[in-house]
Amino acid sequence: MARIEREWSTKMQNKNKTSKEADPSVIMEMNTAFWISRTLQVANELEIFTKLSGKCLALEDAAKAIEIPPRPAEMLLNACVALGLLEKENGCYKNSNLSEKYLVKDKPEYFGYMIAHGVQLSEYWSKLGEVVKNNKPIEHSAPFEDEETARMFTLAMHSGSTPTAKALVDFIPLPHTPIKLLDVGGGSGVISIKLAEKYPNISAVVFDTPNVCKVAQEFINQSPASNRIKTYAGDYTKELPKGFDVVILSNILHGKGVQNCISLLKKVYESLNQSGLVIILDFLLDDDKCGPVFPTLFALNMLIATPEGGTYSGAEIKQWLEDIGFNNIKKEPLIGNTSMVLGVKGKNDRNKNLF
């Protein structure tokens, strides 16, 4: 998606510079962009990449493996080759490196749950016209309403959060003194897990709903740092435990309106020890709110799914933090569409050199 966004942006800029007449080809590409997502989603549903893992199959054998007729198999497989998801050598199909790493079930970085979540999002987005006219989200089940729904949602978010967690661990050098970390709305706990695995001085708490905490515990149990990571089931909009040195909000603020964001950040401030560090990870808008492409579109996603949610600029979040009492506030790009805002509680600058 990020590559497509860059290509659209580059094409539009180049055409504006070199052509006296507007060229509708970019509009055509935008209009048919869902072809790409549906091709990926159907290939994932058929488990093509799992069934081709470690193999190179001729068309007839591949069609049998994925249990569809040869004619649609050839079209679908060729489309996957064109998209860089498969490779074709001497008439045989095999996974690309990308698919082998991220689209094969049971591999550590399997992304298929997020793709399956995208199918549900496609259904929601079909009602965008209705939503923008009425300024009301669509009616849908809360993702944490029952155990199975919470599990599938958490697995999907785990897929998306794993690269972010790895990037954060590489980016931010925490001190080697004892650190108590609170991961608010921590989902699968992947950020806490990655940080605790790197820093033996960290003890972490993953705070989320009871059904999500059950899934997080499964991931925690697989970690060598499991003895230093706990779950805390509750409602973070009502209370947060206190006495922490670092509090993380990863993809939390976009689900809330401005006043609820500020209210939560005040709770974070009270949760932190003096000189404690808040780390906010989210899809941040430019200050004029007209880009980048993904955060602007994700704002519409929140319009569809939540009563008040949206995406915010780094400048907006910085102002909220300053008004609450945070200092040494910085905005930094992290990975892909994710940026972060960091701030220190109080005027002590002990943590300012971390970023």
Side-chain angles (χ1 to χ4, degrees):
M1 184 64 184
R3 176 181 62 79
I4 295 167
E5 290 168 8
R6 290 193 297 270
E7 288 179 0
W8 280 343
S9 178
T10 301
K11 286 179 181 178
M12 290 295 283
Q13 291 171 4
N14 290 341
K15 289 181 185 297
N16 287 339
K17 290 177 181 178
T18 61
S19 178
K20 293 182 180 179
E21 294 185 11
D23 184 341
S25 62
V26 174
I27 295 174
M28 181 64 177
E29 290 175 18
M30 291 181 184
N31 191 48
T32 57
F34 71 94
W35 294 1
I36 295 174
S37 60
R38 285 302 293 147
T39 299
L40 172 62
Q41 290 164 0
V42 170
N44 183 65
E45 288 170 11
L46 293 171
E47 299 185 356
I48 286 176
F49 311 107
T50 299
K51 291 173 181 177
L52 288 181
S53 181
K55 301 173 183 176
C56 191
L57 298 181
L59 174 60
E60 291 291 335
D61 294 329
K64 288 179 182 178
I66 59 181
E67 301 178 56
I68 61 175
R71 178 172 176 263
E74 182 176 25
M75 294 177 182
L76 183 56
L77 294 171
N78 286 343
C80 288
V81 172
L83 292 171
L85 300 172
L86 294 177
E87 295 175 0
K88 190 176 183 180
E89 292 183 358
N90 300 319
C92 292
Y93 297 92
K94 66 177 183 178
N95 284 346
S96 65
N97 291 336
L98 180 70
S99 297
E100 189 66 27
K101 183 174 183 179
Y102 293 109
L103 298 176
V104 176
K105 264 190 173 180
D106 298 326
K107 289 211 170 183
E109 296 180 79
Y110 178 59
F111 210 77
Y113 294 114
M114 178 62 84
I115 297 170
H117 178 62
V119 176
Q120 185 179 54
L121 290 182
S122 296
E123 297 173 5
Y124 293 171
W125 272 74
S126 69
K127 300 179 181 178
L128 177 61
E130 173 187 332
V131 170
V132 297
K133 290 174 183 176
N134 299 324
N135 191 26
K136 291 182 180 179
I138 64 167
E139 294 184 8
H140 62 93
S141 299
F144 316 119
E145 197 169 78
D146 63 81
E147 192 166 336
E148 183 57 24
T149 303
R151 178 177 182 79
M152 296 311 296
F153 183 82
T154 304
L155 290 174
M157 296 306 104
H158 177 82
S159 300
S161 297
T162 298
T164 302
K166 291 182 175 181
L168 180 65
V169 167
D170 291 338
F171 181 91
I172 190 160
L174 293 172
H176 292 281
T177 53
I179 294 173
K180 291 182 65 179
L181 181 148
L182 179 63
D183 191 354
V184 178
S188 71
V190 63
I191 292 177
S192 292
I193 291 168
K194 296 298 181 185
L195 285 169
E197 288 177 351
K198 179 174 181 179
Y199 293 98
N201 54 307
I202 283 181
S203 58
V205 174
V206 179
F207 191 118
D208 218 308
T209 66
N211 284 332
V212 173
C213 282
K214 291 177 183 178
V215 183
Q217 192 62 56
E218 294 176 22
F219 284 102
I220 291 168
N221 291 343
Q222 299 172 32
S223 170
S226 60
N227 64 319
R228 291 181 285 109
I229 309 170
K230 297 179 180 179
T231 61
Y232 186 113
D235 182 351
Y236 59 74
T237 65
K238 295 180 179 178
E239 62 164 349
L240 287 179
K242 295 179 172 58
F244 291 88
D245 304 298
V246 177
V247 174
I248 296 175
L249 295 173
S250 179
N251 292 330
I252 299 299
L253 295 186
H254 63 232
K256 307 185 181 311
V258 172
Q259 292 307 314
N260 284 332
C261 286
I262 293 170
S263 176
L264 178 57
L265 291 171
K266 287 179 178 178
K267 291 181 176 66
V268 168
Y269 189 87
E270 295 302 318
S271 178
L272 282 165
N273 295 326
Q274 186 68 17
S275 302
L277 178 68
V278 62
I279 302 174
I280 298 168
L281 307 171
D282 222 312
F283 309 127
L284 300 185
L285 292 166
D286 296 334
D287 289 349
D288 66 2
K289 297 192 174 184
C290 294
V293 172
F294 184 86
T296 62
L297 296 177
F298 197 83
L300 290 173
N301 195 57
M302 291 296 95
L303 182 71
I304 291 168
T306 68
E308 296 183 338
T311 48
Y312 303 104
S313 68
E316 286 178 293
I317 296 174
K318 182 175 184 289
Q319 187 63 59
W320 300 340
L321 293 175
E322 286 178 347
D323 291 345
I324 291 167
F326 286 95
N327 287 278
N328 300 320
I329 300 164
K330 303 287 184 184
K331 174 194 169 187
E332 298 285 350
L334 184 60
I335 183 174
N337 297 302
T338 299
S339 298
M340 61 182 177
V341 179
L342 307 100
V344 175
K345 177 177 178 175
K347 296 187 177 181
N348 189 313
D349 62 356
R350 185 183 73 186
N351 286 331
K352 73 176 184 180
N353 292 326
L354 290 177
F355 48 90

